[in-house]
Amino acid sequence: MKILVVNCGSSSLKYQLIDMSTETLIAKGLCERIGVDGHFEGTTPDGRKTENDNLLPNHKIAFMEVKKALTEGETKVIDSLDEIDAIGHRIVQGGALFNDSVLVTDEVKKGIEELIDLAPLHNEAHLQGINACQEVFGKEKPEVVVFDNAFHSTMPPKAFIFPVPYEYYEKYKVRRYGFHGTSHRYVAHRLAEILGESLVGKKVIVAHIGNGSSLSAIKDGKVIDTTMGLTPLDGFIMGSRCGGVDPSAITYIQAKEDLSPAETDQMMNKKSGLLGISGVSSDLRDVEDAAANGNERAKLALDLLYYQLTKYIGGFIAALGGLDALCFTAGIGENSASTRLQVCKNLEYIGVKIDEDKNNCSGKEVEISTPDSKIKVFVIPTNEELMIARDTKEIVENL
Ligand code: AMP
C-alpha cells in the first residue's frame, strides 16, 4: 500500500509518498510560495531531484506539480496516481470535535471549517488542500485527516481549562488543546517498542524541542498535560515565539507601542523567543555559535532555554508524581547535545544521569542515560509523516 502524506499551509504544500509494506519513503517534496509566484522541489531517497519556479497560483496547481513529479521525468516513482491508495492530511486544529483521525467526508470538512476561527492560519489552508486534492486525485480516493491536538484530548479539565471567566470556554471554546500531538504520539509509541512493554504504569515526558516546542506529560500512555495551549504559542521559549509570559506584560507593551492585535500576535510569534532575546537568530545553531563567540544576549537566550525547559519538566514531574522516562525529539531535541546535557544536569537531583559520550549524538535513536540512572533518557527522532501514514492505512483498511 502506498500512502501520500500531505501538509498544506496557506502558501506551502509538503508531501511524502510512503510505501507501507516497508514503511519507507518513496519520494518527498515541497511547493512553496503558492499564490505568490511558486517554487517546487521534489526528491527521491536515491538522490534524484526535480526543481522549478513554475507559477503556483493555488493548491490545485501545486498538487498537479506533485502529480507530475511522481509520475513523470527525473523523479518518476509511479506510473499513475492509481498506485496511490490513500492520502493522509495533517490538520493543526481538531478542537474538541475530533479526538481521533477520521476519513474525510463532507461532514468532517464542515467540522474543520467550523474550527477555522480557532486556527485561522492553518485550518483554512488545510481545507483548501483537501479540496484541491480531491480535484486532482478524484473524490473516490480515500483521504484521512490526522489532527495535531488529538493525542492531547485525554487531558483532564484541570489541565485544559484556563482560569479566565468560564463563559469564554462555553462561548468560544477557549481552552488548552496542545499541538505536536502526532509527534508526541509517535515518540511515545516508539518508546514502548524500545522498552518492549506497554506504557501502562509508566510516567513519561516527551520534549519536542524545535522551532516550535512543547512538552507532554504522559501517564499510562495517555497525555495528562501539555505546554502548548489554545494556539502553539504557550509553553517555554521557542525559536521566535515567546511561550508563556505574564499576560499583563503583553497588554502593557501593546499599549506602550500602540500595537494592533495583529501586530501583537506578530511580536509574540515572530519577534520573540531565542530571536527576541539574542537579537541574532531564531535558529539555535546561530545562537549557540554567537554565545560561543562571547555574545552575552545569545548566552542569556540559551540560559533561558535551559532554565525554562528544566522548570517545565520539573512541573510535569510533579504533575505525573514521578518520572520513568524522558524523551528528547525534534530539531533541537534530536541534535543539540548541549541542550540535552544542560537540562539533564539540572535534573541530576532527581536521579537523572547521562553518559556524555552517548549524548554526543545527532539525529539518532539512542538511550543516553547511564545504566544506574533512576530515569531513562532517550533521544528518539520523530516521524510525524509515518504516524499520519499509519493512521491513514488503518482507517482505509477498515473501510
Ligand atoms: P525543527 O523545527 O524541529 O525543524 O527544529 C529546528 C531547530 O533545530 C532549529 O533551532 C535548529 O537550529 C535546531 N537544530 C537543528 N540541527 C541542530 C544541531 N545540529 N545543533 C543544534 N540545533 C540544531
Side-chain angles (χ1 to χ4, degrees):
M1 181 183 270
K2 293 187 181 78
I3 307 257
L4 184 69
V5 176
V6 296
N7 181 358
C8 287
S10 53
S11 63
S12 67
L13 186 174
K14 290 185 200 143
Y15 70 91
Q16 286 195 6
L17 183 63
I18 300 176
D19 181 346
M20 293 310 287
S21 60
T22 49
E23 292 196 333
T24 50
L25 183 73
I26 301 171
K28 68 174 183 176
L30 167 70
C31 300
E32 286 175 302
R33 301 175 62 82
I34 299 171
V36 185
D37 40 22
H39 178 75
F40 174 82
E41 225 177 281
T43 57
T44 58
D46 56 8
R48 289 174 285 146
K49 186 171 180 176
T50 161
E51 204 173 351
N52 67 56
D53 288 318
N54 296 345
L55 276 185
L56 299 172
N58 54 47
H59 284 82
K60 183 179 170 189
I61 306 291
F63 272 113
M64 303 285 284
E65 203 66 52
V66 174
K67 173 185 170 184
K68 213 166 121 195
L70 294 174
T71 58
E72 298 172 24
E74 180 70 10
T75 49
K76 178 176 173 186
V77 284
I78 49 175
D79 288 325
S80 84
L81 294 187
D82 293 343
E83 288 182 47
I84 297 177
D85 297 279
I87 297 153
H89 293 264
R90 173 194 177 220
I91 309 289
V92 164
Q93 183 54 283
L97 269 183
F98 301 102
N99 293 336
D100 232 326
S101 306
V102 285
L103 189 73
V104 173
T105 61
D106 287 343
E107 204 184 327
V108 166
K109 285 206 290 187
K110 231 176 103 209
I112 296 170
E113 192 174 356
E114 279 167 23
L115 294 165
I116 286 177
D117 237 14
L118 284 178
L121 292 179
H122 294 105
N123 273 31
E124 190 163 12
H126 297 327
L127 209 53
Q128 282 168 358
I130 294 169
N131 287 330
C133 208
Q134 286 183 332
E135 282 186 63
V136 174
F137 289 77
K139 245 193 143 174
E140 61 292 341
K141 185 80 71 192
E143 293 191 51
V144 166
V145 279
V146 178
F147 299 91
D148 247 23
N149 61 316
F151 188 50
H152 303 303
S153 64
T154 47
M155 277 188 290
K158 67 182 175 190
F160 72 67
I161 293 287
F162 293 135
V164 293
Y166 193 74
E167 65 188 274
Y168 300 133
Y169 168 59
E170 293 176 309
K171 277 208 283 200
Y172 308 123
K173 306 278 179 276
V174 169
R175 50 160 280 186
R176 179 180 309 286
Y177 290 103
F179 298 91
H180 295 142
T182 314
S183 170
H184 288 281
R185 182 158 60 107
Y186 175 84
V187 172
H189 280 210
R190 191 64 207 125
L191 174 69
E193 283 172 1
I194 296 168
L195 296 175
E197 52 187 342
S198 101
L199 296 185
V200 173
K202 296 249 177 307
K203 294 160 184 166
V204 175
I205 292 176
V206 175
H208 176 116
I209 321 168
N211 272 324
S213 304
S214 65
L215 301 179
S216 62
I218 302 173
K219 199 173 197 169
D220 296 326
K222 296 196 172 84
V223 173
I224 62 154
D225 207 346
T226 190
T227 52
M228 282 182 165
L230 173 75
T231 68
L233 185 58
D234 199 10
F236 51 95
I237 181 172
M238 304 179 217
S240 64
R241 292 176 231 170
C242 57
V245 175
D246 174 0
S248 298
I250 301 299
T251 48
Y252 184 78
I253 295 168
Q254 195 172 28
K256 285 281 183 195
E257 296 278 314
D258 197 19
L259 301 178
S260 68
E263 287 167 336
T264 309
D265 262 349
Q266 178 85 356
M267 181 271 287
M268 294 188 294
N269 280 288
K270 301 277 184 213
K271 298 182 183 172
S272 299
L274 294 175
L275 170 67
I277 299 292
S278 70
V280 171
S281 168
S282 61
D283 192 299
L284 184 73
R285 285 164 293 197
D286 300 336
V287 180
E288 285 179 342
D289 288 348
N293 288 322
N295 182 315
E296 290 301 327
R297 274 174 49 191
K299 285 188 203 167
L300 177 63
L302 294 183
D303 279 349
L304 254 88
L305 176 66
Y306 307 148
Y307 175 69
Q308 292 202 344
L309 260 168
T310 307
K311 193 165 90 166
Y312 277 79
I313 290 173
F316 276 3
I317 294 173
L320 287 162
L323 188 65
D324 297 303
L326 169 64
C327 306
F328 289 98
T329 195
I332 295 172
E334 291 167 25
N335 298 300
S336 174
S338 54
T339 301
R340 293 189 301 256
L341 180 67
Q342 294 305 322
V343 171
C344 289
K345 271 191 175 165
N346 292 343
L347 296 171
E348 272 175 5
Y349 77 100
I350 48 151
V352 168
K353 263 195 192 170
I354 62 165
D355 178 325
E356 291 197 26
D357 287 336
K358 286 187 184 158
N359 182 49
N360 272 331
C361 61
S362 181
K364 275 193 305 197
E365 193 173 279
V366 181
E367 179 175 347
I368 59 171
S369 45
T370 58
D372 62 337
S373 176
K374 284 197 188 130
I375 292 153
K376 286 181 177 293
V377 186
F378 296 90
V379 177
I380 301 181
T382 194
N383 194 341
E384 291 164 272
E385 291 79 12
L386 182 57
M387 205 73 222
I388 294 171
R390 284 180 184 164
D391 279 11
T392 305
K393 176 174 182 268
E394 194 185 326
I395 288 173
V396 169
E397 278 178 345
N398 288 309
L399 280 180

